[in-house]
């Protein structure tokens, strides 16, 4: 039941005043008429209070429903993110880091062996040439040292 609910009790009371009859029956006395009007006002006030209480209750219910829906959506989002995280972590855990390291190490070993084979012959020739290239001449300083018997 979607009824218009005035924002203040005074306005609400005013909205119920229109129900009060404007012309009293001629047989009623003034005090009886006043009493009847007072009773109608009290009745309208009670209706207004009940209407306000219902509106407050409905508002609280809507807020509770919105909160429950938000919590439900948040729970679903968290579960989705947790599944996504677990999936990514599972993939990383399943990957073998030692296999990747082993492959890189084998590649480096292959390169070193290739470099060794490429340069082995030249290196041996260089070392042999330096060993066999011995000068038999004496320097001037060595000759003077021999003359003075210092060696």
């Amino acid at each position: 039941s979607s009824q218009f609910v005035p924002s203040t009790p005074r306005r609400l009371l005013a909205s119920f005043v229109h129900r009060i009859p404007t012309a009293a029956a001629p047989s009623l006395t003034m005090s009886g008429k006043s009493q009847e009007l007072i009773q109608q006002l009290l009745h309208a006030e009670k209706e207004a209070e009940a209407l306000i209480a219902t509106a407050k209750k409905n508002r609280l219910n809507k807020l509770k429903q919105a909160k429950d829906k938000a919590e439900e959506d948040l729970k679903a989002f968290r579960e989705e993110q947790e599944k996504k995280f677990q999936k990514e972590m599972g993939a990383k855990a399943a990957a073998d880091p030692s296999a990747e390291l082993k492959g890189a190490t084998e590649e480096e070993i292959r390169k070193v062996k290739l470099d060794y084979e490429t340069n082995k012959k030249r290196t041996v020739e260089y070392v042999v040439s330096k060993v066999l290239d011995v000068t038999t001449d004496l320097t001037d300083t060595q000759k003077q040292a021999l003359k003075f018997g210092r060696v």
Side-chain angles (χ1 to χ4, degrees):
S1 73
S2 62
Q3 296 179 354
F4 170 73
V5 179
S7 60
T8 64
R10 183 171 286 176
R11 286 184 188 163
L12 187 60
L13 186 58
S15 71
F16 286 106
V17 170
H18 75 279
R19 297 182 188 176
I20 300 172
T22 54
S27 64
L28 292 176
T29 64
M30 263 323 243
S31 73
K33 182 178 172 184
S34 295
Q35 288 297 319
E36 183 182 337
L37 289 175
I38 290 172
Q39 289 302 317
Q40 286 179 348
L41 283 173
L42 289 174
H43 180 69
E45 188 177 310
K46 285 181 183 178
E47 284 182 19
E49 287 174 359
L51 197 59
I52 289 171
T54 302
K56 284 181 180 179
K57 188 173 96 175
N58 289 343
R59 179 178 177 266
L60 289 175
N61 284 339
K62 293 241 185 237
L63 287 173
K64 185 178 183 300
Q65 288 173 353
K67 180 184 172 197
D68 291 345
K69 175 71 171 134
E71 286 176 355
E72 185 179 306
D73 291 347
L74 180 62
K75 182 180 176 186
F77 177 76
R78 280 187 180 150
E79 287 174 358
E80 178 185 331
Q81 292 300 314
E82 181 65 24
K83 285 179 185 177
K84 188 176 177 182
F85 174 75
Q86 291 299 333
K87 182 180 178 182
E88 289 176 8
M89 289 305 295
K92 288 182 181 180
D96 186 12
S98 64
E100 185 178 323
L101 179 63
K102 184 178 178 184
T105 303
E106 288 175 357
E107 178 63 20
E108 288 297 319
I109 290 171
R110 187 190 63 74
K111 287 180 182 179
V112 168
K113 286 182 178 179
L114 180 64
D115 192 37
Y116 169 76
E117 291 298 325
T118 303
N119 296 313
K120 177 172 73 170
K121 183 177 179 185
R122 270 191 305 161
T123 304
V124 169
E125 289 173 358
Y126 175 78
V127 170
V128 168
S129 74
K130 291 299 177 186
V131 169
L132 295 178
D133 185 24
V134 178
T135 59
T136 55
D137 297 332
L138 294 175
T139 64
D140 290 337
T141 308
Q142 291 171 334
K143 290 178 187 176
Q144 282 181 357
L146 285 173
K147 278 186 188 177
F148 293 112
R150 296 204 173 169
V151 181

